[in-house]
Amino acid sequence: MPHAQVLPHASAIVTHGGLGTVLASFAHELPVVCLPLSREQPDNAAAVERVGAGVALTADASASEIVAAVNDVLGRPSYARQAREMQRLIAAGPAAIDELLASAGLEPTAS
């Protein structure tokens, strides 16, 4: 199902942490619970946590751990606030993203 059909009706997202889903979640100002499997997903999950827009679990997290994480991101307004901030930064473009990266001690993009 396309993100655009589901995300407007969601309060949070549980995902494997693929970049497309993480960015779509931020575009809809939604906090994220990541259960990364492979490729870039662990890095994306770590980035979600680093910016405070969600939490990362291991791929073998139990159902109760997932429920607790979802309750956590729904129960703490700071996660939704940071997801909104990520949406704002992404919409503002490369300069704002470079500012975010620099504040986190990371290399800016090659803009």
Side-chain angles (χ1 to χ4, degrees), residues 5-101:
Q5 290 181 348
V6 176
L7 298 183
H9 308 286
S11 298
I13 300 301
V14 178
T15 176
H16 63 339
L19 185 59
T21 304
V22 169
L23 292 177
S25 298
F26 290 160
H28 287 85
E29 303 178 359
L30 298 171
V32 183
V33 174
C34 295
L35 293 96
L37 301 173
S38 64
R39 298 185 314 269
E40 87 291 357
Q41 297 162 5
D43 293 333
N44 295 341
V48 164
E49 279 197 321
R50 195 167 43 251
V51 300
V55 299
L57 302 173
T58 60
D60 62 350
S62 68
S64 62
E65 290 171 316
I66 296 168
V67 167
V70 170
N71 286 334
D72 187 31
V73 300
L74 291 175
R76 289 193 207 183
S78 62
Y79 289 118
R81 200 169 33 253
Q82 286 308 110
R84 279 191 300 279
E85 177 65 4
M86 292 307 300
Q87 188 280 335
R88 185 193 70 76
L89 287 170
I90 291 167
I97 293 170
D98 284 347
E99 179 183 326
L100 173 69
L101 291 171

